Amino acid sequence: MTKFIDAIRNAETTGKKAEKLAFIAGMDDHELELVRLALDSDKQFYVKKWDQPDSFADVDPADHHDFITALNRLARRDVTGNSAKKLVSYILSQYTEKSAEIMKRVILKDLRCGANYKTWKKAYPNSDIPAPFALMLAEKVTEKYQWTFPCLGEAKYDGMRVVAIVEPGPIGVKVTYKSRDGNVLDYSTFDDELDFMYGVVKNFDMEDGFVLDGEVLASSYQATMKAKGRSGNKDSLNLYAFDLIPLKDWNRQEYTEKQVARSEFLAYAISAAHCTRIIKSKWKLLNNKQEADDFYGEILREGENADGTKNGLGEGLIIKTLDGVYSWERTKAWAKWKPVYTYDLTVVGFYAGEAGKRNADRLGGFTCEGHDENGNFITADVGGGWSDKDRDYLWSIRDKVVAEKWVLEIEAQEVTKSQDSLNTYSLRFPVAVKWRKDKKGD
């Protein structure tokens, strides 16, 4: 019989599907329960951080009953706050240190072994493996991107990705809003218009309900985030919708309707329901690169106010193939195209990953400083762009990196005024690209 810990540890060592499948197969129902707990997006544990255990066991426990019981208590909110953090530390301490690293992935709902839902279902076709929360993600338009015309260009908004899961209820519809990570959100301000939309789409084989995929946006990204919580003012929010999927197809994560048909039907449904706060994202059929460049420029201009500040209405385009289907993963059928700027900054500090998360006890990121071509002083914490191997190695030489003033090339979306200082700027979404060994730090 395959043990859960061995299965995950072995599966992450290979990129070959057949080998990965062989590694994860053969678990009994007790071991498989850990997979269910990790994948079930409707069962949350409400703990993201905890203290590292003071000590670990010399051998793993004979079974996972205590671990599973503890997680179910967390899911029911029987234990909360500091008590919940102490419980997580305790149950992890019952395993060896190496095994605890695997077990904490269940709590964080990220098994990190390269096996997706379809792989698990193939390994256990007769088991009730829950489909994890997922949605379609885009690749990037780079210099190597292969353009195919005609295609669709759709405005990329700078808001918050939201899916609205709409189901018929005894009176009106029941709507559940979720973030891209599967967290439940409060955007009931759109319930009435979604009810109207259901009245339209239920006659098109969607009587079981539908899922609307889009971006919630206020006057700016900052305003959108302020309106996010339960107490936030939702009056200024609009939902810019870019896809619509029947609920039954969403639940089985398979939908064969082509992109252009989905976009046309979505535009029809919003119009027929006379929505005013649910808006079809701006889109256009592009026949050649010149048309793509022109539409790209148009959207970027619409994303700026007269004073140059960003309003969130256009940070680029999503390029979509006409025959692409909705996939619950990152796919080449969608590609995001937005401006990216590079900066060469000197490493002046470092920080570890957050306790209890996947990068605990290794590199979280480097703090970098320097000036741009306009003389603006920039400081940035660069936590993105590092592989697991990078994080382990760079953490081991972190003092050397700072002492020798290594220069890091960084990609970022834009430079913004720091909230802490009028004379300092920061980078939005900074990502490490490469070390500039040809340059010396300031």
Side-chain angles (χ1 to χ4, degrees), residues 114-134:
N116 59 20
Y117 169 67
K118 291 181 180 178
T119 307
W120 286 109
K121 283 299 290 183
K122 190 172 183 179
Y124 299 94
N126 299 318
S127 296
D128 56 339
I129 302 291
F133 184 80

PDB file of all heavy atoms in Angstrom, residues 114-134:
ATOM      1  N   GLY A 114       2.681  18.434  -8.498  1.00  0.00           N
ATOM      2  CA  GLY A 114       2.466  18.408  -9.941  1.00  0.00           C
ATOM      3  C   GLY A 114       1.311  17.542 -10.392  1.00  0.00           C
ATOM      4  O   GLY A 114       1.147  17.322 -11.597  1.00  0.00           O
ATOM      5  N   ALA A 115       0.491  17.052  -9.465  1.00  0.00           N
ATOM      6  CA  ALA A 115      -0.673  16.237  -9.824  1.00  0.00           C
ATOM      7  C   ALA A 115      -1.921  17.105  -9.719  1.00  0.00           C
ATOM      8  O   ALA A 115      -2.236  17.609  -8.647  1.00  0.00           O
ATOM      9  CB  ALA A 115      -0.781  15.024  -8.903  1.00  0.00           C
ATOM     10  N   ASN A 116      -2.621  17.301 -10.839  1.00  0.00           N
ATOM     11  CA  ASN A 116      -3.843  18.087 -10.801  1.00  0.00           C
ATOM     12  C   ASN A 116      -5.053  17.175 -10.581  1.00  0.00           C
ATOM     13  O   ASN A 116      -4.920  15.964 -10.404  1.00  0.00           O
ATOM     14  CB  ASN A 116      -4.003  18.914 -12.089  1.00  0.00           C
ATOM     15  CG  ASN A 116      -4.045  18.049 -13.346  1.00  0.00           C
ATOM     16  OD1 ASN A 116      -4.329  16.851 -13.285  1.00  0.00           O
ATOM     17  ND2 ASN A 116      -3.744  18.648 -14.490  1.00  0.00           N
ATOM     18  N   TYR A 117      -6.218  17.770 -10.597  1.00  0.00           N
ATOM     19  CA  TYR A 117      -7.444  17.024 -10.322  1.00  0.00           C
ATOM     20  C   TYR A 117      -7.620  15.833 -11.276  1.00  0.00           C
ATOM     21  O   TYR A 117      -7.970  14.725 -10.867  1.00  0.00           O
ATOM     22  CB  TYR A 117      -8.644  17.965 -10.420  1.00  0.00           C
ATOM     23  CG  TYR A 117      -9.980  17.266 -10.405  1.00  0.00           C
ATOM     24  CD1 TYR A 117     -10.425  16.604  -9.268  1.00  0.00           C
ATOM     25  CD2 TYR A 117     -10.798  17.272 -11.532  1.00  0.00           C
ATOM     26  CE1 TYR A 117     -11.654  15.961  -9.247  1.00  0.00           C
ATOM     27  CE2 TYR A 117     -12.026  16.633 -11.521  1.00  0.00           C
ATOM     28  CZ  TYR A 117     -12.453  15.984 -10.378  1.00  0.00           C
ATOM     29  OH  TYR A 117     -13.667  15.348 -10.371  1.00  0.00           O
ATOM     30  N   LYS A 118      -7.341  16.071 -12.564  1.00  0.00           N
ATOM     31  CA  LYS A 118      -7.521  15.002 -13.548  1.00  0.00           C
ATOM     32  C   LYS A 118      -6.565  13.832 -13.279  1.00  0.00           C
ATOM     33  O   LYS A 118      -6.907  12.666 -13.484  1.00  0.00           O
ATOM     34  CB  LYS A 118      -7.315  15.553 -14.963  1.00  0.00           C
ATOM     35  CG  LYS A 118      -8.417  16.511 -15.395  1.00  0.00           C
ATOM     36  CD  LYS A 118      -8.197  17.017 -16.815  1.00  0.00           C
ATOM     37  CE  LYS A 118      -9.312  17.962 -17.234  1.00  0.00           C
ATOM     38  NZ  LYS A 118      -9.092  18.494 -18.607  1.00  0.00           N
ATOM     39  N   THR A 119      -5.361  14.143 -12.816  1.00  0.00           N
ATOM     40  CA  THR A 119      -4.394  13.084 -12.500  1.00  0.00           C
ATOM     41  C   THR A 119      -4.888  12.247 -11.324  1.00  0.00           C
ATOM     42  O   THR A 119      -4.815  11.013 -11.347  1.00  0.00           O
ATOM     43  CB  THR A 119      -3.021  13.696 -12.170  1.00  0.00           C
ATOM     44  OG1 THR A 119      -2.619  14.574 -13.222  1.00  0.00           O
ATOM     45  CG2 THR A 119      -1.972  12.600 -11.995  1.00  0.00           C
ATOM     46  N   TRP A 120      -5.405  12.924 -10.293  1.00  0.00           N
ATOM     47  CA  TRP A 120      -5.929  12.191  -9.132  1.00  0.00           C
ATOM     48  C   TRP A 120      -7.129  11.336  -9.513  1.00  0.00           C
ATOM     49  O   TRP A 120      -7.256  10.194  -9.053  1.00  0.00           O
ATOM     50  CB  TRP A 120      -6.310  13.168  -8.017  1.00  0.00           C
ATOM     51  CG  TRP A 120      -5.135  13.761  -7.309  1.00  0.00           C
ATOM     52  CD1 TRP A 120      -4.683  15.043  -7.376  1.00  0.00           C
ATOM     53  CD2 TRP A 120      -4.245  13.083  -6.411  1.00  0.00           C
ATOM     54  NE1 TRP A 120      -3.568  15.215  -6.602  1.00  0.00           N
ATOM     55  CE2 TRP A 120      -3.276  14.028  -5.980  1.00  0.00           C
ATOM     56  CE3 TRP A 120      -4.160  11.780  -5.927  1.00  0.00           C
ATOM     57  CZ2 TRP A 120      -2.249  13.707  -5.099  1.00  0.00           C
ATOM     58  CZ3 TRP A 120      -3.145  11.459  -5.046  1.00  0.00           C
ATOM     59  CH2 TRP A 120      -2.215  12.404  -4.643  1.00  0.00           C
ATOM     60  N   LYS A 121      -8.003  11.862 -10.373  1.00  0.00           N
ATOM     61  CA  LYS A 121      -9.171  11.084 -10.793  1.00  0.00           C
ATOM     62  C   LYS A 121      -8.765   9.889 -11.638  1.00  0.00           C
ATOM     63  O   LYS A 121      -9.407   8.829 -11.597  1.00  0.00           O
ATOM     64  CB  LYS A 121     -10.141  11.965 -11.587  1.00  0.00           C
ATOM     65  CG  LYS A 121     -10.962  12.898 -10.733  1.00  0.00           C
ATOM     66  CD  LYS A 121     -11.850  12.145  -9.738  1.00  0.00           C
ATOM     67  CE  LYS A 121     -12.984  11.395 -10.401  1.00  0.00           C
ATOM     68  NZ  LYS A 121     -13.870  10.737  -9.402  1.00  0.00           N
ATOM     69  N   LYS A 122      -7.706  10.040 -12.402  1.00  0.00           N
ATOM     70  CA  LYS A 122      -7.219   8.919 -13.201  1.00  0.00           C
ATOM     71  C   LYS A 122      -6.632   7.841 -12.310  1.00  0.00           C
ATOM     72  O   LYS A 122      -6.781   6.634 -12.570  1.00  0.00           O
ATOM     73  CB  LYS A 122      -6.166   9.414 -14.202  1.00  0.00           C
ATOM     74  CG  LYS A 122      -5.767   8.370 -15.240  1.00  0.00           C
ATOM     75  CD  LYS A 122      -4.874   8.984 -16.318  1.00  0.00           C
ATOM     76  CE  LYS A 122      -4.542   7.944 -17.393  1.00  0.00           C
ATOM     77  NZ  LYS A 122      -3.697   8.535 -18.460  1.00  0.00           N
ATOM     78  N   ALA A 123      -5.965   8.261 -11.239  1.00  0.00           N
ATOM     79  CA  ALA A 123      -5.381   7.292 -10.310  1.00  0.00           C
ATOM     80  C   ALA A 123      -6.457   6.628  -9.449  1.00  0.00           C
ATOM     81  O   ALA A 123      -6.314   5.460  -9.063  1.00  0.00           O
ATOM     82  CB  ALA A 123      -4.354   7.986  -9.415  1.00  0.00           C
ATOM     83  N   TYR A 124      -7.536   7.364  -9.172  1.00  0.00           N
ATOM     84  CA  TYR A 124      -8.605   6.838  -8.304  1.00  0.00           C
ATOM     85  C   TYR A 124      -9.970   7.126  -8.944  1.00  0.00           C
ATOM     86  O   TYR A 124     -10.748   7.952  -8.449  1.00  0.00           O
ATOM     87  CB  TYR A 124      -8.520   7.488  -6.923  1.00  0.00           C
ATOM     88  CG  TYR A 124      -7.219   7.207  -6.229  1.00  0.00           C
ATOM     89  CD1 TYR A 124      -6.149   8.105  -6.314  1.00  0.00           C
ATOM     90  CD2 TYR A 124      -7.024   6.038  -5.502  1.00  0.00           C
ATOM     91  CE1 TYR A 124      -4.941   7.842  -5.702  1.00  0.00           C
ATOM     92  CE2 TYR A 124      -5.809   5.765  -4.876  1.00  0.00           C
ATOM     93  CZ  TYR A 124      -4.776   6.672  -4.983  1.00  0.00           C
ATOM     94  OH  TYR A 124      -3.580   6.399  -4.378  1.00  0.00           O
ATOM     95  N   PRO A 125     -10.278   6.454 -10.054  1.00  0.00           N
ATOM     96  CA  PRO A 125     -11.511   6.768 -10.799  1.00  0.00           C
ATOM     97  C   PRO A 125     -12.793   6.495 -10.018  1.00  0.00           C
ATOM     98  O   PRO A 125     -13.832   7.092 -10.311  1.00  0.00           O
ATOM     99  CB  PRO A 125     -11.403   5.856 -12.031  1.00  0.00           C
ATOM    100  CG  PRO A 125     -10.497   4.741 -11.611  1.00  0.00           C
ATOM    101  CD  PRO A 125      -9.510   5.367 -10.680  1.00  0.00           C
ATOM    102  N   ASN A 126     -12.745   5.599  -9.054  1.00  0.00           N
ATOM    103  CA  ASN A 126     -13.957   5.244  -8.316  1.00  0.00           C
ATOM    104  C   ASN A 126     -14.044   5.915  -6.944  1.00  0.00           C
ATOM    105  O   ASN A 126     -14.919   5.580  -6.146  1.00  0.00           O
ATOM    106  CB  ASN A 126     -14.029   3.721  -8.147  1.00  0.00           C
ATOM    107  CG  ASN A 126     -14.085   3.002  -9.482  1.00  0.00           C
ATOM    108  OD1 ASN A 126     -14.785   3.442 -10.395  1.00  0.00           O
ATOM    109  ND2 ASN A 126     -13.326   1.908  -9.612  1.00  0.00           N
ATOM    110  N   SER A 127     -13.132   6.837  -6.670  1.00  0.00           N
ATOM    111  CA  SER A 127     -13.132   7.536  -5.388  1.00  0.00           C
ATOM    112  C   SER A 127     -13.709   8.939  -5.553  1.00  0.00           C
ATOM    113  O   SER A 127     -13.628   9.534  -6.634  1.00  0.00           O
ATOM    114  CB  SER A 127     -11.711   7.628  -4.827  1.00  0.00           C
ATOM    115  OG  SER A 127     -11.196   6.336  -4.547  1.00  0.00           O
ATOM    116  N   ASP A 128     -14.273   9.451  -4.485  1.00  0.00           N
ATOM    117  CA  ASP A 128     -14.897  10.771  -4.519  1.00  0.00           C
ATOM    118  C   ASP A 128     -13.861  11.870  -4.291  1.00  0.00           C
ATOM    119  O   ASP A 128     -13.871  12.564  -3.278  1.00  0.00           O
ATOM    120  CB  ASP A 128     -16.019  10.868  -3.493  1.00  0.00           C
ATOM    121  CG  ASP A 128     -15.549  10.532  -2.080  1.00  0.00           C
ATOM    122  OD1 ASP A 128     -14.516   9.859  -1.962  1.00  0.00           O
ATOM    123  OD2 ASP A 128     -16.214  10.953  -1.119  1.00  0.00           O
ATOM    124  N   ILE A 129     -12.963  12.011  -5.264  1.00  0.00           N
ATOM    125  CA  ILE A 129     -11.951  13.066  -5.196  1.00  0.00           C
ATOM    126  C   ILE A 129     -12.623  14.401  -5.509  1.00  0.00           C
ATOM    127  O   ILE A 129     -13.193  14.573  -6.590  1.00  0.00           O
ATOM    128  CB  ILE A 129     -10.807  12.818  -6.199  1.00  0.00           C
ATOM    129  CG1 ILE A 129     -10.140  11.478  -5.956  1.00  0.00           C
ATOM    130  CG2 ILE A 129      -9.795  13.960  -6.147  1.00  0.00           C
ATOM    131  CD1 ILE A 129      -9.344  11.389  -4.695  1.00  0.00           C
ATOM    132  N   PRO A 130     -12.612  15.365  -4.593  1.00  0.00           N
ATOM    133  CA  PRO A 130     -13.264  16.656  -4.874  1.00  0.00           C
ATOM    134  C   PRO A 130     -12.447  17.477  -5.872  1.00  0.00           C
ATOM    135  O   PRO A 130     -11.218  17.482  -5.825  1.00  0.00           O
ATOM    136  CB  PRO A 130     -13.316  17.342  -3.508  1.00  0.00           C
ATOM    137  CG  PRO A 130     -12.161  16.750  -2.754  1.00  0.00           C
ATOM    138  CD  PRO A 130     -12.027  15.332  -3.235  1.00  0.00           C
ATOM    139  N   ALA A 131     -13.148  18.144  -6.757  1.00  0.00           N
ATOM    140  CA  ALA A 131     -12.464  19.025  -7.699  1.00  0.00           C
ATOM    141  C   ALA A 131     -12.029  20.278  -6.948  1.00  0.00           C
ATOM    142  O   ALA A 131     -12.858  20.952  -6.343  1.00  0.00           O
ATOM    143  CB  ALA A 131     -13.385  19.393  -8.847  1.00  0.00           C
ATOM    144  N   PRO A 132     -10.749  20.602  -6.938  1.00  0.00           N
ATOM    145  CA  PRO A 132     -10.304  21.817  -6.242  1.00  0.00           C
ATOM    146  C   PRO A 132     -10.818  23.050  -6.961  1.00  0.00           C
ATOM    147  O   PRO A 132     -11.113  23.009  -8.157  1.00  0.00           O
ATOM    148  CB  PRO A 132      -8.769  21.719  -6.328  1.00  0.00           C
ATOM    149  CG  PRO A 132      -8.523  20.939  -7.576  1.00  0.00           C
ATOM    150  CD  PRO A 132      -9.654  19.943  -7.660  1.00  0.00           C
ATOM    151  N   PHE A 133     -10.929  24.148  -6.241  1.00  0.00           N
ATOM    152  CA  PHE A 133     -11.370  25.369  -6.900  1.00  0.00           C
ATOM    153  C   PHE A 133     -10.294  25.808  -7.886  1.00  0.00           C
ATOM    154  O   PHE A 133      -9.114  25.908  -7.540  1.00  0.00           O
ATOM    155  CB  PHE A 133     -11.623  26.482  -5.894  1.00  0.00           C
ATOM    156  CG  PHE A 133     -12.174  27.717  -6.545  1.00  0.00           C
ATOM    157  CD1 PHE A 133     -13.516  27.807  -6.858  1.00  0.00           C
ATOM    158  CD2 PHE A 133     -11.341  28.767  -6.880  1.00  0.00           C
ATOM    159  CE1 PHE A 133     -14.025  28.925  -7.488  1.00  0.00           C
ATOM    160  CE2 PHE A 133     -11.838  29.897  -7.506  1.00  0.00           C
ATOM    161  CZ  PHE A 133     -13.186  29.974  -7.806  1.00  0.00           C
ATOM    162  N   ALA A 134     -10.711  26.052  -9.092  1.00  0.00           N
ATOM    163  CA  ALA A 134      -9.768  26.468 -10.133  1.00  0.00           C
ATOM    164  C   ALA A 134     -10.513  27.316 -11.142  1.00  0.00           C
ATOM    165  O   ALA A 134     -11.744  27.249 -11.249  1.00  0.00           O
ATOM    166  CB  ALA A 134      -9.136  25.255 -10.809  1.00  0.00           C
TER     167      ALA A 134
END
